[in-house]
Amino acid sequence: MTIAGKYTIALEEHYYDPELAATFDGPEGRATEIRRRLDDLGELRIREMDESGIDLQVISHGAPSTQRLNAESAVRLARGANDRLHQAVLRHPDRFAGFAALPTPDPTASVVELERTVKEYGFKGAMVHGLTNGVFFDDKRFWPIMAKAAELDVPIYLHPAVPDQRVVEAYYKDYLADYPGILTAAWGFTMETATAGMRMVLSGAFEAYPNLKIILGHLGEGLPFLLWRINMALQRPGNKPVNFQEVFSRNVYITTSGNFSTPALICSMLEMGIDHILYSVDYPFVLNPPGTKWMEDLQVSAEDKEKILSGNAKRLLRI
Ligand code: MN
């Protein structure tokens, strides 16, 4: 089948590499139906793509990927995971593409790995999950990675991970026993990743690298809804000059992963314009069919729907 008769690309779609995933205890460790899908880069994944009209998945590792390892392990495991992902893409080149895992605990090696996977493997960019051992991605030590991404003209997807332990203690621990979701997709993921997006703009990285493109999932982690207020508050006296709204709308792209809300999508379209909004599911933490139904029923123009489903991704990822 197809979604609304359109070619469809989804780009926040996860898997687990056997060696890398053995280094962490994911929250889905006991949810065997999710784990079974994370472990599959073949028949099951493609069947579920076919059933929901997804033509191409840009596949990335699940959180926290290599972001919480020591430098040596991160470099070794990222390289191995990327090699194996490339093999899976080669087996299904018309259905799969890849986002690299970067060993951010070693920024210099991350630059090398990004260039290697983009140039040799045709990867479409990279995904970074949450803080790297407590450090946000806007930190100067990671700017060489941004410079390389801008040079290669590939985006970096800033994806959530379980929040920093200091934040868990201060903000969430009272509610964790009854509502573990507060730590993840219900709130903790969103707050931390929105903060990462905020900090990226304030860091000046987009002035240093005007071609740098960042992707945020989950319809921009709430930031499109807050753009007006953020922009207004940052223009009050005492703040360095910054046009947050303009920079965000120029250098940041958002996907629909795990947030199939029509009002939230309309808000994002009004604040950012249609050209920076890309379809994604967040498979297998979210399954494909609800996204397909949402897109089928969505009352936007055929042209806008085509841009969301693949037109914008084709341009951003040069597919
Ligand atoms: Mn995800």
Side-chain angles (χ1 to χ4, degrees):
M1 71 165 291
T2 66
I3 303 180
K6 319 278 189 215
Y7 186 81
T8 295
I9 299 171
L11 57 151
E12 193 194 308
E13 319 309 319
H14 304 297
Y15 81 108
Y16 272 1
D17 177 79
E19 283 187 25
L20 177 50
T23 65
F24 60 85
D25 181 21
E28 65 297 316
R30 287 160 296 277
T32 54
E33 282 307 294
I34 294 178
R35 183 61 198 246
R36 189 162 69 93
R37 291 176 166 95
L38 284 165
D39 289 339
D40 176 82
L41 283 174
E43 194 186 331
L44 171 62
R45 183 174 295 257
I46 288 174
R47 186 172 75 240
E48 294 194 330
M49 290 165 66
D50 288 341
E51 287 167 358
S52 291
I54 292 166
D55 295 286
L56 182 73
Q57 276 192 350
V58 185
I59 297 172
S60 51
H61 205 277
S65 190
T66 45
Q67 269 62 70
R68 300 193 176 182
L69 300 171
N70 64 51
E72 184 276 323
S73 301
V75 173
R76 180 170 45 82
L77 289 165
R79 199 177 166 91
N82 290 329
D83 288 349
R84 285 182 286 275
L85 177 58
H86 175 55
Q87 290 303 317
V89 171
L90 284 180
R91 285 192 290 275
H92 304 281
D94 53 336
R95 307 307 302 278
F96 295 162
F99 276 140
L102 295 183
T104 52
D106 184 337
T108 306
S110 298
V111 173
V112 174
E113 188 62 5
L114 179 61
E115 180 154 44
R116 182 181 84 93
T117 52
V118 170
K119 285 191 172 169
E120 293 180 20
Y121 292 169
F123 279 13
K124 303 304 176 190
M127 182 175 283
V128 173
H129 297 261
L131 279 60
T132 293
N133 295 322
V135 183
F136 276 102
F137 191 68
D138 60 278
D139 190 276
K140 277 271 163 62
R141 76 190 76 175
F142 302 121
W143 283 37
I145 304 174
M146 301 179 201
K148 181 56 70 176
E151 178 200 316
L152 295 168
D153 195 22
V154 294
I156 294 178
Y157 204 126
L158 295 184
H159 185 276
V162 169
D164 189 81
Q165 197 54 40
R166 293 164 291 181
V167 174
V168 175
E169 284 292 316
Y171 282 23
Y172 303 132
K173 77 164 186 275
D174 301 336
Y175 285 91
L176 272 184
D178 287 342
Y179 301 101
I182 195 175
L183 204 58
T184 59
W187 192 249
F189 279 1
T190 311
M191 289 304 99
E192 187 171 90
T193 316
T195 304
M198 176 85 180
R199 293 176 54 114
M200 280 298 300
V201 176
L202 301 187
S203 73
F206 296 121
E207 281 71 39
Y209 312 114
N211 192 43
L212 175 63
K213 297 166 188 119
I214 294 294
I215 308 175
L216 296 175
H218 317 108
L219 283 174
E221 310 290 0
L223 289 170
F225 181 84
L226 296 165
L227 267 185
W228 188 94
R229 180 164 164 81
I230 292 168
N231 207 52
M232 174 274 294
L234 285 174
Q235 291 184 6
R236 284 177 174 155
N239 295 281
K240 278 173 68 175
V242 60
N243 191 327
F244 188 92
Q245 190 155 18
E246 188 181 294
V247 176
F248 187 86
S249 299
R250 186 180 61 229
N251 292 88
V252 177
Y253 292 73
I254 67 173
T255 77
T256 65
S257 63
N259 193 351
F260 305 149
S261 161
T262 299
L265 174 67
I266 301 298
C267 169
S268 302
M269 290 168 66
L270 291 170
E271 284 289 3
M272 304 183 62
I274 191 70
D275 292 344
H276 283 223
I277 302 175
L278 293 75
Y279 185 67
S280 289
V281 175
D282 206 356
Y283 180 92
F285 302 102
V286 176
L287 294 181
N288 297 331
T292 298
K293 177 161 182 11
W294 179 51
M295 276 290 127
E296 286 275 355
D297 294 347
L298 182 68
Q299 304 233 1
V300 299
S301 72
E303 188 186 340
D304 282 357
K305 198 174 281 194
E306 189 276 332
K307 285 182 170 183
I308 294 171
L309 286 172
S310 62
N312 293 335
K314 282 178 184 169
R315 272 188 297 281
L316 177 63
L317 307 176
R318 287 176 287 118
I319 287 170

